[in-house]
């Protein structure tokens, strides 16, 4: 079974909103062995939607469309589906009843009549009720294919997918498994890595595919296998990873992990180390990354965002003289910030960043794109400098934050803390 | 001129990476009046790429493809382009020279030979040199259409688009303008809003289109017009917005602004107010949002992420007794946190959050999805409670952070600070 996703919405085509639904749906489908072979992002117009459905049904057996189901006039998915499937729209008493309960629960009973059209569905459709919004999820089965229409709001999409669509699909179909393992490599350029593992790569069984995914200066090697027996797939991938060890062992910071904040969590939990942060140029992204992982409260104590340089002095104990002599964007200030954070939060590890994210220079006229970061692990300390003049503000923040955590992982592995 | 974007990469189809390039490219194209009519996300396979090119050229006059140009074996875009355009691949001396300089600058001269294939391009292509990576950007012109192939790494894509592709397109074509204006509405459900402005909406000139974009509990009404004269478009949109004022004036927090952090920046700059944050459940997202805006250092002093409750006591001065009596997730603690932040950073405004992001309950066994936030503006204070039990961890963090800033904007407007 192959899936095609259709994202309906001018807000994505116009660059106003980043499509995060597709990412979520693809991840969930992968878990039950359904690969997504294409994503179509189309305009909220009847003809685009009908053309999109045609293209999608050519490519996949399962089509999941999100968006265009709101109560307002710019939402046209239902009409497009009606025309495409040559169906009619009827008021579904069960959906209307569900809507009534939903509105009562939210003390919005007075809005029920106005939202009645939301209970109108395709006559052929099977309905998955939406517990978090007024647009129901509809499923059509035609010519052995399944077409599902969902609302576009992410917090409505996620529970519908996770609690209703995925269990339904998993039960109805005997599905393949997809197993992936990600090896994280640092300190080697992509071309050299590719050269070093060439004979291994060429000898991979055809059932295993390999991708190279650069993230900052880390390269993720992802092995993917698909088939009936999960155990076999896992064993096969493990065998191949074993063969990699003598080839690139020294450059690997994780043999099985994807996001750097997840890799770090495993190490910190195992070593029982705590972390705090003192951020300037990353503006809170470092602590946001660390706390994005459930369970991070066991090792993350807290952080300071000292944006104003006076606060670096007052809260983190950076010396005024250092700032006068070296400016706030300097190796010395990064070091004093991480020291301050380690002392204030009483953690084993502390991380600090200071730099100029741009596009405007800072008050000391430091060069845009320069960043210093300091990593302390007990009494070990390492400061590094980055120079990223071509990066947009938010890319700069993301790159620096990723790099700090990546270097911390490397230190924790190599320095044997 | 209409554009279609093609995103090539299994890492996006598999749900591992969120596609941010399309968003960036669509935004930049809009600025020079080129609308994106479809985005195709496809697999890194020769046939998918060829089919994608065919679909895209059916729909658009300009096709921009990103991805699949790395030096490794999983990257197949160049071969697919060669086959699709019936062309041959040649070593381009100019591109090779550029590559040499790039490697020399990075002290990676020893890797030049290994990367030589990166200087091989389609014989028909015009080359835009890539200053930040080894894959050049190629442009093909055929049957009056333009097809551009870019690498996939965001920090290579952005400068290529901004500094090379957009200036080229703007100079070559006499283009339309696209003008948009976004009105932000709060405190009214979408169905009621749609009802209230129905006659206005139905009377909109056909050249102006309207979309409703809900973000948390804010609704963005976006008006878009496209045409030859930028001035006329702006005047027409302004006229329509004027007519909206008597209809929904009381519910509007911004007549022309999109992101809440941008709307807030304007107000804070105008009123010369400063802000600090004390975060628990949002883990740094609130300060990341505030600092994502260039120029935010004039009003944002800094923030504390007090994840560990002891740090709420030690750094923010929350009383231990309050935590014992009410737990760390309570109205009282939110209030004490914002007070602590206001005093520590000496700012006019302070914002605090405390809650349970889940999926695991906190150490006090508070309910998952509960959050309290406190907003202080000088001696004014307001605490609110949210209950979002169905939200995934990161959606919860985003929703709460957006809501805090939105409520702050509302307070600053209505309370006349």
């Amino acid at each position: 079974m192959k899936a095609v996703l259709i994202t309906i919405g001018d807000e994505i085509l116009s660059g106003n909103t980043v499509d995060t639904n597709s990412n979520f749906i693809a991840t969930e489908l992968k878990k039950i062995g359904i690969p997504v072979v294409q994503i179509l992002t189309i305009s909220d117009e009847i003809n685009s939607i009908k053309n999109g459905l045609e293209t999608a049904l050519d490519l996949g057996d399962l089509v999941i469309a999100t968006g265009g189901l709101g109560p307002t006039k710019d939402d046209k998915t239902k009409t497009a589906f009606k025309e495409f499937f040559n169906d009619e729209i009827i008021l579904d008493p069960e959906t209307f009843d569900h809507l009534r309960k939903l509105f009562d629960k939210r003390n919005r009973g007075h809005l029920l009549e106005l939202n009645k059209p939301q209970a109108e569905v395709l006559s052929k459709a099977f309905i998955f009720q939406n517990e978090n919004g007024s647009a129901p999820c509809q499923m059509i089965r035609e010519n052995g294919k399944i077409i599902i229409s969902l609302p576009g709001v992410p917090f409505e999409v996620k529970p519908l997918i996770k609690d209703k669509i995925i269990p339904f699909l998993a039960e109805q179909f005997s599905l393949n498994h997809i197993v992936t393992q990600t090896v994280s490599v640092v300190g080697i350029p992509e071309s050299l890595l590719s050269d070093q593992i060439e004979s291994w790569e060429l000898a991979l069984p055809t059932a295993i595919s390999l991708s190279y995914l650069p993230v900052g200066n880390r390269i993720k090697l992802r092995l993917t296998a698909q088939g009936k027996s999960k155990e076999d797939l896992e064993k096969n991938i493990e065998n191949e990873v074993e063969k990699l060890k003598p080839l690139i062992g020294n450059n690997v910071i994780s043999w099985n992990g994807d996001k750097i904040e997840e890799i770090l969590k495993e190490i910190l939990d195992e070593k029982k180390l705590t972390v705090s942060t003192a951020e300037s140029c990353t503006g809170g992204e470092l602590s946001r990354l660390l706390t994005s992982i459930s369970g991070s409260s066991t090792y993350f104590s807290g952080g300071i965002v000292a944006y104003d340089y006076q606060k670096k002095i007052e809260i983190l104990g950076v010396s005024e003289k250092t700032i006068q002599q070296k400016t706030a964007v300097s190796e010395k200030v990064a070091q004093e910030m991480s020291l301050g954070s380690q002392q204030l939060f009483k953690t084993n590890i502390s991380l600090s960043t200071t730099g100029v994210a741009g596009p405007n220079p800072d008050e000391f006229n430091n060069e845009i794109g320069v960043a210093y970061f300091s990593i302390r692990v007990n009494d070990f300390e390492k400061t590094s400098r980055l120079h990223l003049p071509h990066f947009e503000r938010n890319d700069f923040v993301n790159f620096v934050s990723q790099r700090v955590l990546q270097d911390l992982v490397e230190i924790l592995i190599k320095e044997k803390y």
Side-chain angles (χ1 to χ4, degrees), chain A residues 19-20 22 49 62 67 102 128 170 258 260 333 395 412:
Chain A
D19 171 26
T20 53
S22 299
I49 299 173
L62 168 67
L102 201 73
F128 295 101
D258 194 343
I260 195 73
V333 166
D395 291 336
L412 291 174

Side-chain angles (χ1 to χ4, degrees), chain A residues 314-333:
Chain A
E314 290 169 26
I315 304 175
L316 289 166
V318 171
S319 109
E320 193 158 1
K321 213 171 119 193
T322 309
I323 291 183
Q324 277 165 3
Q325 287 174 349
K326 311 269 181 182
T327 86
V329 178
S330 60
E331 193 177 348
K332 197 87 200 320
V333 166

Side-chain angles (χ1 to χ4, degrees), chain A residues 105-120:
Chain A
K105 212 172 98 186
R106 297 181 176 180
N107 297 319
R108 290 194 167 177
H110 59 291
L111 294 176
L112 183 64
E113 273 309 309
L114 210 53
N115 281 278
K116 199 169 176 178
Q118 291 293 73
E120 289 170 357

Side-chain angles (χ1 to χ4, degrees), chain A residues 173-233:
Chain A
F173 305 94
S174 116
L175 299 162
N176 274 340
H177 291 277
I178 302 175
V179 172
T180 64
Q181 183 163 343
T182 303
V183 177
S184 281
V185 188
V186 298
I188 183 169
E190 202 177 356
S191 55
L192 199 58
L193 173 63
S194 159
D195 195 54
Q196 245 173 55
I197 64 174
E198 185 170 26
S199 46
W200 170 85
E201 183 175 352
L202 291 171
L204 276 177
T206 50
I208 296 183
S209 69
L210 177 76
S211 4
Y212 292 73
L213 310 168
V215 183
N217 70 338
R218 173 166 65 110
I219 299 160
K220 301 195 287 184
L221 288 177
R222 192 165 59 234
L223 292 95
T224 306
Q226 189 172 353
K228 289 285 167 207
S229 156
K230 200 177 166 191
E231 258 182 17
D232 285 355
L233 297 173

Side-chain angles (χ1 to χ4, degrees), chain A residues 46-47 50 78-87 122:
Chain A
I46 291 177
N47 280 332
K50 285 160 73 180
K78 216 187 286 178
T79 313
F81 268 63
K82 183 194 83 170
E83 291 181 12
F84 185 86
F85 291 107
N86 210 348
D87 198 1
L122 296 193

Side-chain angles (χ1 to χ4, degrees), chain A residues 316 318 322 330-342 350 352-354 372-376 381-384:
Chain A
L316 289 166
V318 171
T322 309
S330 60
E331 193 177 348
K332 197 87 200 320
V333 166
Q335 287 165 359
E336 292 184 8
M337 285 173 71
S338 66
L339 186 65
S341 170
Q342 198 179 38
S350 64
S352 75
T353 62
T354 181
Y372 292 90
F373 61 92
S374 160
I375 298 176
R376 273 178 205 276
E381 194 276 339
K382 188 187 170 195
T383 317
S384 311

Side-chain angles (χ1 to χ4, degrees), chain A residues 66-80:
Chain A
T66 50
L69 293 180
T72 54
K73 292 191 194 1
D74 60 329
D75 283 327
K76 290 161 190 151
T77 301
K78 216 187 286 178
T79 313

